[in-house]
Amino acid sequence: MTKSLLIAIISLTLVQLVQAQTPHQPKNVQYRMSLKQFKAKYKTPLTAKDTLNFVYVNNDTMVIVKDYVRKPGASVPYQYKDSTFLDVYKTIAFNHYKDSVSKKTTMKYWKEDIAIFFSNSVDKKVKKEFMAFAEKTLQNVDSLSIKEVKHVEDSNYIVYYNDGFEYESRISNYKKSDYYMHWNNKNQIYRLSLRLIKEDFFTPKLRLRELKKYFIKSLGYFEFNQSIDNKHFFSGSHDNDYQLSDFDTEIIKYHYSYGICKGTNLETFEDNHKKAKELLKNRQILLSFFHEFE
């Protein structure tokens, strides 16, 4: 998985603007930040010459940052998606508390690869088929993978049944199957415990289906959207036995693409897309997000 951290958000932090070029031309790269942020960060007054290079984006004035030295990292071009896709994605990726829509709701994602541990009570056949499903789900996701570990201390994802050892005290009294997720102040998920109520799912097939459901939801603290076609997993419909459609796979791939801002709230997410699309449409400038190596 790419070890990087998003530090470029167009109107809030540094951005890289890459203009069209021929194979023999050097990259025309300019580093800019908003005028408001520039004044807060630098004490050097702007000159009349500086103002000639201002770029105006949705009422934000973008200023060239001279002699900027950035830390080692990689730039990833903005990944365009149409509004129809984004509208659905937002309802899935931004899990609003008690369905109360808030622009401050944040997306969550796994920064490190998933190291999964199964308790001894988990059926061997269920474990085998679950791992096959999980690996297939993530095989086309560039920045996330999964592996099974034999020792719980080596894991960041635990799967267990309620009739065995209790790995997560916060959900020990839950009457229904659920998971408990931990994330840091960058909205990066770093630990999760998935607890299945065995009595509610009395056959291995039913247990497998339930584990698959929670696994997909736990890839980003995802929520179902019942307004989309029930052939998709993210509709929450049981009709498809929780199989992933091409659309479901695209949602997951997009969530882990570094061509978008990571771990932001809904307000920032919408604002960045609006500005990136305006730059692309009106100025033929492709915004790139710079990810600093950790």
Side-chain angles (χ1 to χ4, degrees), residues 213-224:
K213 179 187 79 172
Y214 281 113
F215 173 71
I216 297 300
K217 292 187 71 174
S218 69
L219 291 179
Y221 200 42
F222 292 142
E223 188 52 89
F224 290 138

Side-chain angles (χ1 to χ4, degrees), residues 182-194:
H182 300 258
W183 60 79
N184 59 24
N185 59 4
K186 299 173 184 176
N187 296 309
Q188 297 168 340
I189 305 166
Y190 63 88
R191 189 166 71 250
L192 183 142
S193 297
L194 199 173

Side-chain angles (χ1 to χ4, degrees), residues 9-11 13 15-20 30 32 54-58 60-62 78 80 271-289:
I9 300 178
I10 179 169
S11 64
T13 54
V15 299
Q16 179 187 39
L17 302 179
V18 183
Q19 304 225 15
Q30 297 177 330
R32 301 176 184 266
F54 282 177
V55 172
Y56 300 95
V57 182
N58 283 6
D60 277 347
T61 303
M62 308 302 291
Y78 168 69
Y80 177 88
D271 191 47
N272 286 338
H273 277 281
K274 182 178 180 180
K275 292 173 179 178
K277 288 183 177 181
E278 182 181 84
L279 278 172
L280 190 60
K281 179 180 178 181
N282 297 334
R283 298 177 61 84
Q284 291 75 55
I285 294 175
L286 181 63
L287 175 68
S288 288
F289 291 92

